[in-house]
Amino acid sequence: MSTIPEKAAETVTPARKPAVPAEKVKPKGYSNPALQAMGIPRLRLPSRNWSIFWAVLGLTTGGIVYDKYEQKQLRKRWMSYVQPQSEAEVAPNVKPRRLTIFIAPPPNDFLTESLRYFKRYVKPVLNAGGLDFEIFTSERQGDIRVHVADQIRDLRRNATAFKQVELVKQKNEAYKRSWGYWFSKFNVFKKKEVVDPNATKSVKQCYTPADVFGINYKTKPMAVEYEDAQFENPHDAGGIICVGRGVYKEYMRGVHEGLLGPLEQPKVEIVEAVEQVVVEAETSAAIPTLDTTLAPATDEASKSDFRYNGDVDDLPNANLKSKPPVKAPYISAEDYATATLAPEFNFSTTIRDHNNVPVFFELPIFVLRIPNILGFLNSPQRIYRFYTKRWIADEFNKGAVAVALNAKRPFTPADADLALVEETDWPKKWVASGKEKASEWTRDFKVDHRVTSRMFVYDATLLELGEKKDQT
Amino acid sequence: MSFLGLGGSPSISSQAKIQAAEAELDMVTDMFNRLVEQCHKKCIDLSYKESAVSKAESNCIDRCVAKYFETNVKVGEHMQQIGQTFAGRP
Amino acid sequence: MDQLNAKEQQEFQQIVEQKQMKDFMRLYSNLVEKCFTDCVNDFTSNKLTTKEDTCIMRCAEKFLKHSERVGQRFQEQNAALTQQMQR
């Protein structure tokens, strides 16, 4: 018996270091001496590669999430300033304050980009404030100018027609007060009017929808009233928002052309129509096209929001080729000084249309700069802007609140440079080619004092917000 | 054909004309009622916090009516097209 | 087809008035149903509570104002549409 243990002792391999009794499972992974020094129990840290991966992923998504969160908070805050306005009561026959908004694609890019800025940052505030708005979009340079100038020329023509109607009305009223009318009423020898029993009327003339609806059994339909016509300060009505510096230039040129230019197209040499410069917009299948009528026309069916009208099936090139070329301006910028200001209007008071609503070009303007930047070499700048959209959101929301709350001041000559910052973002090649072709957006921008002295501008720095309002 | 004592056009009776006019009235009323129902569902807050229609709701109603009409017109045009394709087939 | 002479016009006017009356009745019953559906959901008692009472009042007023507004806009849109079709 004594030999076996000896033999066993001989054959047994040299003793290993005894394992720590408390530890049952040997931990995998690396142990960090720094953590050990701090007394933190063994942690399983990821490897270097995984750490890099999670760090990069975390930073990118974290940046986006934080930015979106901040944007949302800002939006809620700015909306709360205008929310009380939208809770006011409105009678069924009153149409609320109506803005006009002009949107065009940024240089060398799609209209959806501009629309996105508008939809995300301006529209929520306008809707929260209970403002109605009408959007005019264009896809090529010059459409907005032509539209604005046409509207003003129509107004000028209607103004003369309207004056005639007023004169006739006054004459009739004078006649009614006269002796001749009195006598004709009581004239016994007057022939009786004969009603033709066979005269037919169409069905549509025999009734109006209001005669059939049950709701009108007790209440009579009232004449439409416009809130815009009832403001004490006529410049509180409506408003214009130009989304982009190019749009602003076109709008101003349109107003100048309408007010200073002739009513008919001058039969001088045909100025070559400006070509489509937004190249990539031609290939977009989802170009929204909408034309709406600005205020003074009698049809009430003007739409208050845009809709995408472009058919996916249509060839984009065909779509654009079928449009007539942009009309040349009726008056060039050099002739502004020598032209006469529209003689049809009475400029001593605010010009109003037949509904007593102040006409659109009398109303204050707000210009938004679109921070759209293109190009591979601009990638760092673009990434930086991608992560700091909350600052743009703040700027746009604040501007929309200024429009909603009517923070305005008269136009000064320095305001011809509103949103000039945007031009630093325009692609240089695009600008150079535009200058060669003398395109609308790159031409020199001149304003006439007679037109701009009547204008107002919304200014976000004039906002007096008081205490922050809590959301209810 | 039917002989009437009115001395109107002999091919379409007065009754038929009145009935057609009545049908048109019914259509208009029906469209209006549906419109009221839909716009109420979509625009008006059901918690009834106040008895007046607010500005935001009014805007919503105006836009709802405009869009409904547009939808009506578009669907009508589409139906006409379909009707033509059916009529063209033998 | 849709030209009416004087006698037919009179008949038509009567029909229009009848239709309006009918639609008014329909509006009334619709309104009652709507306000009941939206406001009255608690049946512990067989009398209306004050909360339900105010809710029903507001509901009725709101619906009537809403109908009025829709009626006005309907008129405008209809007029614009007929104008457009005549062009």
Side-chain angles (χ1 to χ4, degrees):
Chain A
M1 291 289 275
S2 57
T3 52
I4 296 169
E6 279 175 21
K7 271 191 195 160
E10 279 170 14
T11 53
V12 156
T13 48
R16 284 191 228 119
K17 243 193 223 166
V20 177
E23 225 170 0
K24 297 239 169 80
V25 178
K26 189 161 191 330
K28 290 185 212 164
Y30 305 96
S31 72
N32 193 329
L35 288 180
Q36 265 189 329
M38 284 196 277
I40 297 171
R42 283 168 169 267
L43 282 178
R44 191 198 152 196
L45 289 177
S47 64
R48 180 202 68 145
N49 293 341
W50 274 113
S51 298
I52 295 171
F53 172 72
W54 288 120
V56 168
L57 191 67
L59 280 174
T60 47
T61 44
I64 299 172
V65 164
Y66 172 69
D67 193 50
K68 284 204 185 291
Y69 171 77
E70 283 296 307
Q71 278 179 43
K72 200 168 168 185
Q73 299 297 94
L74 279 169
R75 187 170 66 226
K76 266 201 245 175
R77 182 177 147 234
W78 287 113
M79 277 166 73
S80 73
Y81 287 121
V82 290
Q83 193 82 28
Q85 256 182 297
S86 74
E87 284 155 16
E89 183 184 341
V90 160
N93 63 331
V94 173
K95 286 198 165 180
R97 178 177 160 202
R98 195 172 178 134
L99 305 175
T100 315
I101 300 176
F102 296 102
I103 310 185
N108 242 5
D109 209 340
F110 300 98
L111 182 60
T112 45
E113 305 294 318
S114 298
L115 280 173
R116 195 182 301 150
Y117 282 101
F118 173 74
K119 270 203 288 193
R120 274 193 200 163
Y121 307 128
V122 179
K123 197 163 140 185
V125 175
L126 295 182
N127 280 333
L131 298 171
D132 199 7
F133 49 87
E134 181 177 355
I135 301 185
F136 184 79
T137 57
S138 78
E139 302 132 51
R140 48 183 192 173
Q141 294 188 30
D143 273 347
I144 291 177
R145 172 184 60 76
V146 165
H147 178 89
V148 167
D150 279 343
Q151 293 281 322
I152 298 182
R153 284 191 284 263
D154 280 339
L155 276 172
R156 282 169 70 176
R157 287 188 203 110
N158 287 343
T160 33
F162 188 53
K163 274 188 196 147
Q164 303 279 6
V165 167
E166 281 285 309
L167 277 172
V168 169
K169 227 170 143 181
Q170 278 172 12
K171 255 196 197 166
N172 280 341
E173 274 165 29
Y175 174 64
K176 280 202 179 124
R177 280 183 252 123
S178 72
W179 287 108
Y181 179 68
W182 234 75
F183 280 129
S184 69
K185 252 189 130 174
F186 294 105
N187 192 352
V188 182
F189 300 108
K190 194 169 62 162
K191 256 195 272 181
K192 288 250 156 68
E193 285 171 34
V194 180
V195 177
D196 181 13
N198 286 332
T200 58
K201 269 204 225 168
S202 85
V203 173
K204 282 207 167 32
Q205 287 172 326
C206 293
Y207 78 99
T208 60
D211 295 333
V212 194
F213 298 153
I215 185 74
N216 295 121
Y217 189 67
K218 295 284 180 177
T219 60
K220 292 283 166 253
M222 301 167 272
V224 176
E225 280 173 24
Y226 291 89
E227 196 190 343
D228 279 340
Q230 292 162 1
F231 283 109
E232 273 177 31
N233 180 356
H235 297 108
D236 279 345
I240 311 270
I241 298 185
C242 295
V243 178
R245 170 125 176 109
V247 173
Y248 173 57
K249 282 185 180 174
E250 276 191 47
Y251 172 75
M252 292 295 274
R253 285 210 189 97
V255 171
H256 282 77
E257 186 189 321
L259 286 178
L260 295 171
L263 279 177
E264 304 300 331
Q265 190 156 28
K267 298 250 190 313
V268 204
E269 78 275 19
I270 300 167
V271 177
E272 212 175 81
V274 173
E275 280 169 12
Q276 165 77 23
V277 187
V278 180
V279 173
E280 275 151 66
E282 287 181 62
T283 54
S284 159
I287 301 170
T289 62
L290 178 80
D291 36 50
T292 64
T293 54
L294 282 176
T298 45
D299 64 288
E300 307 289 346
S302 43
K303 298 155 187 92
S304 62
D305 201 351
F306 61 88
R307 60 186 157 83
Y308 283 2
N309 208 4
D311 289 340
V312 183
D313 299 329
D314 283 354
L315 282 175
N317 284 320
N319 206 6
L320 281 164
K321 274 181 195 153
S322 63
K323 274 196 187 160
V326 177
K327 273 198 280 191
Y330 286 21
I331 178 175
S332 70
E334 290 84 35
D335 298 333
Y336 285 167
T338 51
T340 48
L341 203 51
E344 296 88 350
F345 292 136
N346 173 15
F347 285 104
S348 55
T349 58
T350 325
I351 304 167
R352 291 169 184 267
D353 65 3
H354 57 270
N355 288 323
N356 220 27
V357 172
V359 113
F360 73 93
F361 55 86
E362 296 275 280
L363 301 172
I365 310 169
F366 189 71
V367 185
L368 293 165
R369 62 150 184 129
I370 298 285
N372 198 44
I373 196 173
L374 299 174
F376 175 74
L377 293 176
N378 288 325
S379 298
Q381 178 79 306
R382 290 170 77 183
I383 294 171
Y384 178 74
R385 288 191 188 188
F386 178 75
Y387 281 108
T388 54
K389 281 188 191 157
R390 55 189 179 278
W391 300 339
I392 297 293
D394 195 34
E395 190 186 317
F396 278 36
N397 281 347
K398 194 170 177 187
V401 168
V403 172
L405 297 180
N406 282 309
K408 59 187 181 295
R409 59 170 170 76
F411 191 98
T412 57
D415 287 328
D417 292 337
L418 278 173
L420 189 62
V421 185
E422 191 189 315
E423 293 201 18
T424 54
D425 286 343
W426 288 356
K428 294 197 177 40
K429 283 199 183 145
W430 182 89
V431 171
S433 77
K435 282 199 169 130
E436 272 175 30
K437 297 182 206 169
S439 70
E440 302 251 0
W441 288 23
T442 50
R443 262 186 255 160
D444 283 338
F445 181 49
K446 290 200 191 80
V447 293
D448 187 81
H449 175 72
R450 289 170 291 170
V451 174
T452 57
S453 60
R454 302 176 64 76
M455 285 186 172
F456 282 76
V457 161
Y458 290 114
D459 196 344
T461 54
L462 297 174
L463 273 177
E464 293 161 5
L465 294 167
E467 289 119 36
K468 203 161 85 162
K469 299 197 176 129
D470 289 319
Q471 267 192 297
T472 44
Chain B
M1 292 297 283
S2 59
F3 202 67
L4 6 130
L6 280 173
S9 68
S11 54
I12 306 167
S13 74
S14 162
Q15 271 300 82
K17 271 200 258 181
I18 298 273
Q19 271 177 4
E22 213 181 304
E24 192 182 319
L25 283 181
D26 279 336
M27 207 180 76
V28 169
T29 323
D30 184 55
M31 181 177 163
F32 177 71
N33 289 330
R34 280 171 205 262
L35 181 51
V36 166
E37 185 63 42
Q38 285 295 316
C39 289
H40 191 276
K41 231 192 319 185
K42 288 183 196 284
C43 283
I44 293 190
D45 178 27
L46 290 177
S47 55
Y48 296 116
K49 288 196 193 112
E50 43 165 29
S51 70
V53 172
S54 74
K55 225 185 234 190
E57 285 171 354
S58 309
N59 270 329
C60 179
I61 292 170
D62 291 352
R63 290 170 189 171
C64 172
V65 174
K67 281 199 165 166
Y68 195 96
F69 259 81
E70 233 181 280
T71 319
N72 202 18
V73 165
K74 281 236 144 70
V75 171
E77 281 171 7
H78 199 60
M79 295 272 285
Q80 269 190 350
Q81 275 179 8
I82 294 178
Q84 277 172 2
T85 49
F86 270 118
R89 285 188 203 164
Chain C
M1 166 72 193
D2 61 359
Q3 297 294 325
L4 306 174
N5 63 25
K7 186 158 180 283
E8 287 164 348
Q9 278 169 33
Q10 272 184 346
E11 223 182 301
F12 186 65
Q13 280 301 106
Q14 279 188 344
I15 291 179
V16 165
E17 279 165 20
Q18 279 174 11
K19 290 272 176 212
Q20 192 178 44
M21 167 69 105
K22 245 207 275 185
D23 195 44
F24 181 69
M25 292 300 164
R26 197 210 51 81
L27 172 81
Y28 171 70
S29 38
N30 197 25
L31 177 58
V32 169
E33 192 188 343
K34 184 176 276 295
C35 289
F36 185 81
T37 320
D38 289 340
C39 284
V40 178
N41 286 313
D42 182 26
F43 295 103
T44 39
S45 137
N46 67 350
K47 299 264 179 276
L48 286 175
T49 62
T50 32
K51 190 174 117 185
E52 287 168 351
D53 196 29
T54 44
C55 177
I56 288 172
M57 263 181 15
R58 285 185 193 148
C59 163
E61 263 219 63
K62 204 162 207 176
F63 187 82
L64 291 174
K65 286 198 181 145
H66 161 78
S67 281
E68 262 186 78
R69 195 179 182 96
V70 173
Q72 294 241 309
R73 297 294 155 264
F74 188 99
Q75 285 264 57
E76 290 162 15
Q77 292 281 345
N78 209 22
L81 198 64
T82 42
Q83 228 184 28
Q84 219 181 24
M85 295 218 291
Q86 273 167 8
R87 270 198 222 142

